[in-house]
């Protein structure tokens, strides 16, 4: 009986029809995830008049969304490694779409807030399962490129949501009951669901990850999935057996002798969660988890933390008529002008257009990364983009002029935003299958902590201590650059699984 390593089998099967179907389903799912994460912010602002959302309540909503994602991340990572990637995605997707559609009907702020908190809990499981699932059907050498291709749909979402908002938000509300008026922001939340519905149908028709099956000792099921993949990729008459493969192996397979405490029925859920994740901080895994988790914190805080404030920066640089001033001087002038919005709930064409332009820049950056991956190592690209971010942050201290300032700001926050998924691809490569979802979940959880801290930090300091605010991010990106130098090169030092 010929036993073959699963990564060798995936390399022999290549990237064919099966992988394309799975990639397309996961990419559409990523589109929906981004719609929920990005669209809730736009819908929240647009709902300001209907639900009486002032600045304080906006802060509550942002904090609650991030908190729900932070609290639920590790639970979803544990579930994914226990029940499977596909099953987790289907549960998380169904609950996210149901709760999101219900949130569009909420008559007051507190019910809307509670509902969006629950949406955040479930969309977290969806976000982290997508990367794990698509990577486990892809040969190691193609994983970074495939993950970046999936990220194209993040940029697409950042264009789609404001484009739909431009069409819907100017439309008048239609009252359907005494307590609920069918406002345009409610329709926007429903329009964001369409990619999720398509993705749910596609993923429902897909098989479970063969690596997950092997990690739970279901060899026959894993063989059947790869055999189906073989027929789709090579032709219906070609099977694994015809290729001389009788059995699939996973070198870093889950040990059959699990600790008694984990399998005991008397073990608490929290204790089981800790014991199952404990190997992440032991042995070979400790170094790479430490590096990747810290990088997720720094890249999330710079990328997402500054992106949240991008429209505000655009508005300030446009309104203040001091074109020769540096950014921090503009902030100081703006704070003295005491400018307020005409309407709290108003999202004008200029702001929505800025969102779309930013989305186009992110999409273009993802495309550039995918092209660079054809010639350069993943580590080299991370070094290059982090260096660009550091230089742009330093230039913000001296740059003058509307367009120059915006270019420097974009170059500070877009590179870390667009490269953080490459760091997650390192985790997927170096961590064994039985721990992979937990590792991705924990890294994304720490990243979201960084985003929340960065959002609050910028909000409290960027008008009063602008110089400290932006130079702190330069220091953060320098730290990121040092950590990246310690990462492995693509397949160097990466164990098979």
């Amino acid at each position: 009986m010929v036993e073959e390593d699963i990564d060798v089998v995936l390399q022999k099967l290549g990237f064919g029809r099966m992988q394309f179907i799975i990639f397309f389903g996961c990419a559409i799912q990523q589109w929906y995830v981004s719609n929920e994460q990005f669209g809730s912010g736009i819908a929240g602002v647009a709902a300001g008049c209907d639900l009486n959302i002032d600045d304080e309540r906006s802060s509550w909503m942002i904090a609650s969304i991030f908190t729900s994602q932070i609290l639920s991340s590790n639970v979803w990572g544990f579930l994914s490694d226990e029940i499977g990637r596909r099953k987790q995605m289907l549960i998380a997707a169904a609950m996210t779409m149901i709760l999101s559609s219900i949130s569009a009907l909420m008559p007051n702020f507190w019910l809307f807030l509670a509902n969006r908190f629950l949406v955040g809990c479930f969309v977290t499981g969806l976000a982290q399962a997508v990367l794990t699932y698509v990577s486990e059907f892809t040969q190691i050498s193609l994983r970074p490129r495939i993950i970046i291709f999936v990220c194209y749909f993040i940029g697409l979402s950042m264009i789609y949501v404001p484009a739909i908002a431009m069409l819907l938000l100017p439309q008048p509300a239609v009252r359907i009951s005494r307590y609920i008026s069918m406002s345009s922001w409610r329709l926007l939340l429903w329009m964001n669901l369409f990619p999720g519905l398509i993705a749910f149908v596609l993923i429902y028709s897909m098989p479970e990850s063969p690596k997950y099956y092997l990690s739970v000792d279901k060899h026959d099921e894993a063989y059947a999935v790869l055999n189906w993949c073989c027929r789709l990729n090579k032709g219906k008459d070609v099977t694994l057996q015809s290729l001389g493969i009788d059995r699939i192996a996973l070198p870093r397979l889950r040990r059959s002798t699990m600790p008694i405490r984990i399998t005991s029925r008397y073990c608490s859920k929290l204790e089981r969660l800790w014991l199952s994740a404990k190997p992440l901080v032991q042995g070979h895994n400790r170094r790479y988890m430490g590096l990747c988790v810290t990088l997720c914190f720094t890249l999330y805080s710079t990328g997402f933390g500054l992106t949240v404030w991008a429209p505000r920066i655009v508005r300030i640089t446009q309104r203040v008529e001091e074109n020769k001033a540096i950014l921090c001087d503009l902030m100081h002038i703006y704070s003295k002008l005491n400018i307020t919005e005409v309407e709290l709930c108003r999202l004008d064409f200029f702001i929505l257009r800025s969102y779309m332009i930013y989305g186009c820049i992110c999409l273009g950056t993802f495309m550039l990364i995918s092209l660079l991956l054809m010639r350069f190592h993943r580590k080299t690209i991370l070094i290059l983009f982090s260096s660009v971010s550091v230089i742009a942050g330093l230039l913000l201290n001296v740059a003058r002029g509307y367009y120059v300032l915006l270019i420097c700001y974009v170059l500070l926050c877009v590179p870390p935003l667009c490269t953080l998924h490459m760091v997650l691809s390192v985790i997927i490569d170096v961590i064994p299958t039985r721990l992979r979802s937990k590792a991705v979940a924990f890294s994304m959880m720490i990243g979201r902590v960084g985003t929340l801290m960065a959002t609050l930090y910028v909000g409290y300091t960027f008008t009063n201590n602008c110089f400290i605010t932006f130079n702190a991010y330069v220091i953060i990106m320098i730290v990121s650059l040092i950590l990246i130098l310690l990462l492995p090169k693509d397949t160097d030092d990466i164990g098979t699984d």
Side-chain angles (χ1 to χ4, degrees), residues 409-463:
Y409 187 86
V410 166
L411 290 178
L412 170 61
C413 54
V414 168
L417 176 67
C418 293
T419 55
L420 60 90
H421 283 81
M422 296 177 68
V423 175
L424 293 175
S425 74
V426 174
I427 296 173
I428 290 170
D429 282 349
V430 300
I431 301 299
T433 302
R434 65 187 177 92
L435 300 169
R436 184 170 293 148
S437 286
K438 298 182 186 72
V440 172
F442 183 72
S443 301
M444 293 180 75
M445 182 193 76
I446 298 299
R448 291 185 179 102
V449 171
T451 303
L452 178 58
M453 292 176 62
T455 302
L456 296 174
Y457 168 71
V458 174
Y460 279 104
T461 64
F462 85 113
T463 54

Side-chain angles (χ1 to χ4, degrees), residues 25 29 86 90 97 195-206:
Q29 192 69 277
R86 174 182 170 273
L90 291 175
M97 288 188 289
L197 294 171
I198 297 171
F200 186 87
V201 174
L202 290 173
I203 291 174
Y204 186 82
S205 64
M206 295 176 190

Side-chain angles (χ1 to χ4, degrees), residues 319 340-344 346:
R319 285 190 174 184
T340 59
E341 296 293 333
V342 176
E343 290 184 46
L344 181 65
R346 183 170 173 243

Side-chain angles (χ1 to χ4, degrees), residues 109-160:
F109 169 73
W110 296 109
L111 288 175
F112 182 75
L113 178 69
N115 208 275
R116 296 311 299 183
F117 179 89
L118 294 175
V119 170
C121 289
F122 284 97
V123 80
T124 303
L126 197 54
Q128 60 201 35
V130 166
L131 296 181
T132 306
Y133 184 72
V134 72
S135 70
E136 291 184 351
F137 280 93
T138 307
Q139 61 195 77
I140 292 176
S141 61
L142 292 179
R143 278 181 190 167
R145 272 181 264 177
I146 296 305
I147 289 175
I148 291 298
F149 287 148
V150 170
C151 291
Y152 279 17
F153 288 77
I154 297 176
L156 183 62
S157 172
M158 295 174 74
I159 299 169
Y160 170 85

Side-chain angles (χ1 to χ4, degrees), residues 163-341:
I164 296 298
M166 280 184 183
L167 296 175
L168 294 179
L169 295 185
Q171 305 303 318
V174 177
R175 183 161 293 279
I176 59 176
S177 75
R178 180 180 176 182
Y179 300 103
I180 300 176
S181 60
M182 188 49 63
S183 302
S184 53
W185 65 268
R186 300 181 191 274
L187 295 176
L188 177 62
L189 286 175
W190 284 336
M191 289 294 291
N192 289 341
L193 294 174
F194 284 129
L197 294 171
I198 297 171
F200 186 87
V201 174
L202 290 173
I203 291 174
Y204 186 82
S205 64
M206 295 176 190
E208 181 55 84
S209 162
K211 288 196 172 186
Y212 165 74
Y213 276 141
L214 289 176
S215 75
V216 293
D217 297 329
K218 294 184 178 180
H219 291 266
D220 292 340
E221 288 85 346
Y223 189 89
V225 170
L226 288 173
N227 207 29
W228 184 26
C229 180
C230 181
R231 290 175 180 274
L232 282 176
N233 288 5
K234 302 292 186 180
K236 63 180 181 179
D237 296 327
V238 182
T239 63
L240 291 179
Q241 196 168 15
S242 68
L243 296 177
I245 303 170
D246 299 312
R247 185 177 170 84
I248 309 297
L250 188 66
R252 291 187 285 178
L253 191 61
R254 178 180 301 190
R255 296 178 182 177
S256 57
T257 56
M258 294 287 287
I260 296 175
R261 293 178 66 195
I262 295 183
T263 57
S264 172
R265 63 179 179 176
Y266 301 107
C267 182
S268 70
K269 295 292 185 183
L270 289 177
E271 190 176 12
R272 181 180 171 87
L273 183 64
W274 158 244
L275 290 173
S276 64
K278 190 176 178 180
L280 288 175
V281 293
Q282 295 177 333
H284 172 83
N285 299 327
R286 184 189 305 163
R287 177 193 174 193
Y288 292 126
M289 278 300 298
L291 287 173
C292 293
V293 165
T294 308
L295 273 171
C296 282
F297 180 87
T298 58
L299 296 181
Y300 264 88
S301 62
T302 306
F304 282 108
L306 291 180
T307 294
V308 170
W309 293 98
R312 181 83 176 270
I313 300 297
V314 170
R315 178 57 62 88
I316 290 172
T317 53
Q318 182 212 27
R319 285 190 174 184
V320 180
E321 296 178 358
E322 293 288 342
N323 293 329
K324 299 300 181 181
I326 63 173
L327 180 60
C328 287
D329 289 343
L330 293 178
M331 297 294 178
H332 181 71
I333 297 169
Y334 183 82
S335 64
K336 298 297 183 183
L337 291 177
N338 194 28
I339 297 175
T340 59
E341 296 293 333

